[in-house]
Amino acid sequence: MEKKTILVVDDELKIRILLKDFLEREGFIIIESPDGKHALDTFQNSGKNIDLILLDVMLPEYDGWTVCREIRKVSQVPIIMLTARSEDFDEVHGFEIGADDYVKKPVKPTALIARINAFFRRIDNGKTENKILAHGGLEINDAAHTVKVENEEIILSPKEYALLLFLVEHKGRIISREQLLNLVWGYEYYGSLRTVDTHINRLRIKLGKKGDAITTIRGFGYRFEG
């Protein structure tokens, strides 16, 4: 398997060293950035070779929110936010601007590595499947990992794509928020159920007129009606 490259962005040297040591032992290639400006410059120069970003929220120069927003303008590379703060607002805000996952400090390296590996497995498994799902103007090409609405391609984050694919694959079935959280984020994720709601809302907006196909079942979850 080709080695994956991870960009670690944190202003604390000891945290970068800790993550670098653990991740390199797991076979990953690590690039480091000590601040937001350096991270954006690094991504601009090496973005095509970066497979995932570990991004601290509190950074010099540009904070993690700014870095995430700027990267999302040009790329859907997976982004895992790191923060020492505990406010729910941070988590919701991170997902609203395009983050794919959220880890609170102090980071437990073994748990983080498990989540990263699960992330890459989901991405790699998606690349090996060759199927196209089409429903009334919505087309999902799971081999190419693309989504089109009325023949116009829309850009989704990995989590948004995974949510949409699962809902469409189970068209007509009510899927609980707990199921979606476990299936898309994994059983090791302990975030709020609002994480699912935030991603569904963003997904509806991106789908435009097809967004109404995802209906809310009050008090339970969601259903794709096509």
Side-chain angles (χ1 to χ4, degrees), residues 187-203:
Y187 287 95
E188 73 281 358
Y189 182 74
Y190 296 102
S192 166
L193 289 175
R194 285 190 297 172
T195 296
V196 176
D197 299 333
T198 299
H199 278 72
I200 290 290
N201 289 337
R202 287 173 48 209
L203 181 57

Side-chain angles (χ1 to χ4, degrees), residues 96-109:
E96 285 177 341
I97 63 175
D100 297 290
D101 208 345
Y102 199 92
V103 175
K104 292 179 181 177
K105 294 180 177 179
V107 176
K108 297 180 180 179

Side-chain angles (χ1 to χ4, degrees), residues 26-83:
E26 293 296 312
F28 296 109
I29 299 170
I30 304 303
I31 302 174
E32 299 178 55
S33 283
D35 61 64
K37 184 179 185 304
H38 187 275
L40 287 177
D41 290 341
T42 300
F43 188 80
Q44 183 177 5
N45 295 327
S46 309
K48 292 182 179 180
N49 298 318
I50 294 173
D51 298 294
L52 184 142
I53 300 174
L54 294 178
L55 178 60
D56 189 27
V57 171
M58 305 302 292
L59 292 169
E61 301 292 340
Y62 305 134
D63 63 23
W65 309 133
T66 301
V67 174
C68 183
R69 277 194 297 265
E70 290 302 309
I71 289 176
R72 276 292 170 261
K73 292 178 181 179
V74 296
S75 172
Q76 292 302 314
V77 62
I79 298 175
I80 299 177
M81 305 293 291
L82 307 174
T83 183

Side-chain angles (χ1 to χ4, degrees), residues 17-180:
I17 292 174
L18 174 68
L19 294 176
K20 184 175 186 292
D21 287 347
F22 271 86
L23 292 169
E24 284 186 338
R25 276 185 239 163
E26 293 296 312
F28 296 109
I29 299 170
I30 304 303
I31 302 174
E32 299 178 55
S33 283
D35 61 64
K37 184 179 185 304
H38 187 275
L40 287 177
D41 290 341
T42 300
F43 188 80
Q44 183 177 5
N45 295 327
S46 309
K48 292 182 179 180
N49 298 318
I50 294 173
D51 298 294
L52 184 142
I53 300 174
L54 294 178
L55 178 60
D56 189 27
V57 171
M58 305 302 292
L59 292 169
E61 301 292 340
Y62 305 134
D63 63 23
W65 309 133
T66 301
V67 174
C68 183
R69 277 194 297 265
E70 290 302 309
I71 289 176
R72 276 292 170 261
K73 292 178 181 179
V74 296
S75 172
Q76 292 302 314
V77 62
I79 298 175
I80 299 177
M81 305 293 291
L82 307 174
T83 183
R85 302 183 356 157
S86 60
E87 288 87 346
D88 288 341
F89 166 78
D90 282 3
E91 183 171 347
V92 174
H93 183 58
F95 289 131
E96 285 177 341
I97 63 175
D100 297 290
D101 208 345
Y102 199 92
V103 175
K104 292 179 181 177
K105 294 180 177 179
V107 176
K108 297 180 180 179
T110 54
L112 178 61
I113 288 169
R115 292 167 79 162
I116 290 171
N117 284 332
F119 214 114
F120 284 137
R121 279 197 300 271
R122 287 195 292 269
I123 294 173
D124 291 340
N125 287 342
K127 291 178 181 177
T128 63
E129 298 181 2
N130 185 20
K131 61 183 178 182
I132 296 178
L133 301 175
H135 291 280
L138 172 66
E139 179 183 289
I140 304 174
N141 185 328
D142 201 37
H145 220 67
T146 59
V147 176
K148 293 182 179 179
V149 175
E150 304 296 346
N151 292 319
E152 182 177 346
E153 185 172 350
I154 61 173
I155 304 300
L156 301 180
S157 72
K159 287 292 193 298
E160 292 164 352
Y161 179 86
L163 282 171
L164 178 62
L165 180 64
F166 187 79
L167 288 169
V168 172
E169 286 178 329
H170 297 82
K171 179 184 176 182
R173 285 179 51 187
I174 300 173
I175 310 296
S176 72
R177 294 153 81 212
E178 290 86 353
Q179 284 177 292
L180 290 171

